[in-house]
Amino acid sequence: MCRRKVGGGTGDRNGGGARDTVWGAMMRGFGRSGIARRVLVVGAIPILVAAAIALGAWILLHEAERARAGAVVATETAQTLAAMNRARADALSGSVAGRDGAERRFGERAATATAQLERLERLARTRGRPPSWRP
Protein backbone atom coordinates (compact mmCIF):
# COMPACT_ATOMS: atom_id res chain seq x y z
CA MET A 1 0.00 0.00 0.00
CA CYS A 2 1.40 3.36 -0.99
CA ARG A 3 0.91 6.35 1.35
CA ARG A 4 1.01 9.79 -0.10
CA LYS A 5 2.41 12.55 2.15
CA VAL A 6 0.44 15.77 2.39
CA GLY A 7 3.49 18.01 2.78
CA GLY A 8 5.55 16.36 0.13
CA GLY A 9 9.30 15.96 0.56
CA THR A 10 11.48 13.28 2.04
CA GLY A 11 10.03 13.00 5.51
CA ASP A 12 13.26 13.86 7.32
CA ARG A 13 12.65 17.61 7.81
CA ASN A 14 11.64 18.64 11.36
CA GLY A 15 11.96 15.16 12.70
CA GLY A 16 10.25 13.46 9.76
CA GLY A 17 7.01 11.57 9.57
CA ALA A 18 3.84 13.20 10.89
CA ARG A 19 5.47 16.53 11.63
CA ASP A 20 6.38 16.96 7.98
CA THR A 21 2.81 16.46 6.84
CA VAL A 22 1.44 18.97 9.34
CA TRP A 23 4.15 21.49 8.45
CA GLY A 24 3.45 21.19 4.73
CA ALA A 25 -0.30 21.55 5.19
CA MET A 26 0.19 24.62 7.38
CA MET A 27 2.54 26.28 4.90
CA ARG A 28 0.13 25.65 2.05
CA GLY A 29 -2.64 27.26 4.13
CA PHE A 30 -0.81 30.60 4.07
CA GLY A 31 -0.87 30.54 0.28
CA ARG A 32 -4.64 30.14 0.05
CA SER A 33 -7.56 31.62 1.90
CA GLY A 34 -7.54 29.01 4.61
CA ILE A 35 -7.65 29.06 8.38
CA ALA A 36 -4.16 30.54 8.73
CA ARG A 37 -5.02 33.59 6.62
CA ARG A 38 -8.30 34.11 8.48
CA VAL A 39 -6.51 33.96 11.82
CA LEU A 40 -3.94 36.45 10.53
CA VAL A 41 -6.66 38.87 9.39
CA VAL A 42 -8.68 38.50 12.58
CA GLY A 43 -5.55 39.05 14.67
CA ALA A 44 -4.13 41.91 12.59
CA ILE A 45 -7.24 44.07 12.40
CA PRO A 46 -7.50 44.68 16.18
CA ILE A 47 -3.78 45.38 16.35
CA LEU A 48 -4.02 47.96 13.56
CA VAL A 49 -7.06 49.58 15.19
CA ALA A 50 -5.23 49.74 18.53
CA ALA A 51 -2.20 51.31 16.85
CA ALA A 52 -4.40 53.94 15.16
CA ILE A 53 -6.08 54.75 18.49
CA ALA A 54 -2.70 55.04 20.21
CA LEU A 55 -1.42 57.39 17.50
CA GLY A 56 -4.54 59.54 17.79
CA ALA A 57 -4.19 59.67 21.57
CA TRP A 58 -0.54 60.73 21.29
CA ILE A 59 -1.46 63.54 18.89
CA LEU A 60 -4.27 64.71 21.18
CA LEU A 61 -1.96 64.71 24.21
CA HIS A 62 0.57 66.80 22.30
CA GLU A 63 -2.13 69.30 21.31
CA ALA A 64 -3.45 69.43 24.88
CA GLU A 65 0.03 70.31 26.13
CA ARG A 66 0.28 73.10 23.53
CA ALA A 67 -3.14 74.42 24.58
CA ARG A 68 -2.15 74.36 28.26
CA ALA A 69 1.08 76.25 27.54
CA GLY A 70 -0.87 78.80 25.50
CA ALA A 71 -3.38 79.29 28.30
CA VAL A 72 -0.58 79.88 30.81
CA VAL A 73 1.09 82.47 28.58
CA ALA A 74 -2.26 84.15 27.83
CA THR A 75 -3.04 84.42 31.56
CA GLU A 76 0.38 85.87 32.30
CA THR A 77 -0.06 88.37 29.46
CA ALA A 78 -3.48 89.45 30.71
CA GLN A 79 -2.03 90.05 34.19
CA THR A 80 0.87 92.00 32.72
CA LEU A 81 -1.50 94.15 30.65
CA ALA A 82 -3.61 94.86 33.74
CA ALA A 83 -0.47 95.90 35.66
CA MET A 84 0.55 98.05 32.70
CA ASN A 85 -2.86 99.74 32.75
CA ARG A 86 -2.49 100.45 36.49
CA ALA A 87 0.99 101.93 35.89
CA ARG A 88 -0.46 104.14 33.15
CA ALA A 89 -3.25 105.31 35.42
CA ASP A 90 -0.72 106.03 38.18
CA ALA A 91 1.43 108.05 35.78
CA LEU A 92 -1.54 110.15 34.64
CA SER A 93 -3.18 110.73 38.01
CA GLY A 94 -0.18 110.78 40.33
CA SER A 95 2.06 113.61 41.39
CA VAL A 96 4.86 114.88 39.20
CA ALA A 97 7.48 113.29 41.51
CA GLY A 98 5.88 109.80 41.28
CA ARG A 99 5.28 110.06 37.55
CA ASP A 100 8.83 109.00 36.61
CA GLY A 101 8.54 105.74 38.59
CA ALA A 102 5.11 104.99 37.10
CA GLU A 103 6.40 105.65 33.58
CA ARG A 104 9.35 103.33 34.22
CA ARG A 105 7.01 100.59 35.49
CA PHE A 106 4.79 101.13 32.44
CA GLY A 107 7.79 100.72 30.10
CA GLU A 108 8.93 97.55 31.89
CA ARG A 109 5.43 96.06 31.75
CA ALA A 110 5.13 96.98 28.07
CA ALA A 111 8.41 95.19 27.27
CA THR A 112 7.28 92.15 29.25
CA ALA A 113 3.89 92.12 27.50
CA THR A 114 5.59 92.33 24.11
CA ALA A 115 7.78 89.32 24.92
CA GLN A 116 4.77 87.36 26.20
CA LEU A 117 2.73 88.16 23.09
CA GLU A 118 5.61 86.97 20.92
CA ARG A 119 5.74 83.69 22.90
CA LEU A 120 1.99 83.34 22.48
CA GLU A 121 2.31 83.95 18.75
CA ARG A 122 4.80 81.07 18.49
CA LEU A 123 2.39 78.76 20.32
CA ALA A 124 -0.62 79.77 18.25
CA ARG A 125 -1.15 78.56 14.73
CA THR A 126 -1.12 81.89 12.97
CA ARG A 127 1.34 81.11 10.21
CA GLY A 128 0.67 83.23 7.16
CA ARG A 129 -1.50 85.76 9.01
CA PRO A 130 -0.01 89.05 10.16
CA PRO A 131 -0.17 89.59 13.92
CA SER A 132 -2.91 92.05 14.78
CA TRP A 133 -1.42 93.29 18.05
CA ARG A 134 1.68 94.94 16.57
CA PRO A 135 1.56 98.65 15.71
Side-chain angles (χ1 to χ4, degrees):
M1 186 187 281
C2 182
R3 290 179 34 189
R4 181 172 178 223
K5 292 184 180 182
V6 177
T10 61
D12 59 307
R13 185 176 65 200
N14 295 330
R19 288 187 194 161
D20 186 35
T21 59
V22 172
W23 177 258
M26 187 173 70
M27 291 314 295
R28 278 198 325 265
F30 281 117
R32 293 183 286 182
S33 61
I35 288 276
R37 179 168 285 180
R38 290 179 191 157
V39 168
L40 180 68
V41 169
V42 169
I45 289 174
I47 291 171
L48 291 175
V49 169
I53 290 171
L55 179 65
W58 182 79
I59 290 170
L60 288 175
L61 283 173
H62 178 69
E63 292 300 315
E65 180 60 29
R66 277 187 65 244
R68 186 200 63 78
V72 167
V73 173
T75 302
E76 290 173 353
T77 304
Q79 291 172 352
T80 302
L81 291 173
M84 193 171 85
N85 194 26
R86 283 191 303 271
R88 182 187 60 85
D90 290 346
L92 295 176
S93 65
S95 66
V96 176
R99 192 169 289 173
D100 289 336
E103 287 177 357
R104 182 184 46 77
R105 284 193 311 275
F106 179 80
E108 290 171 355
R109 301 293 191 299
T112 302
T114 301
Q116 288 171 338
L117 286 171
E118 287 171 354
R119 270 182 46 204
L120 191 58
E121 182 182 22
R122 284 191 305 268
L123 286 172
R125 291 198 174 136
T126 57
R127 310 241 193 287
R129 286 189 278 166
S132 59
W133 60 269
R134 288 191 181 158

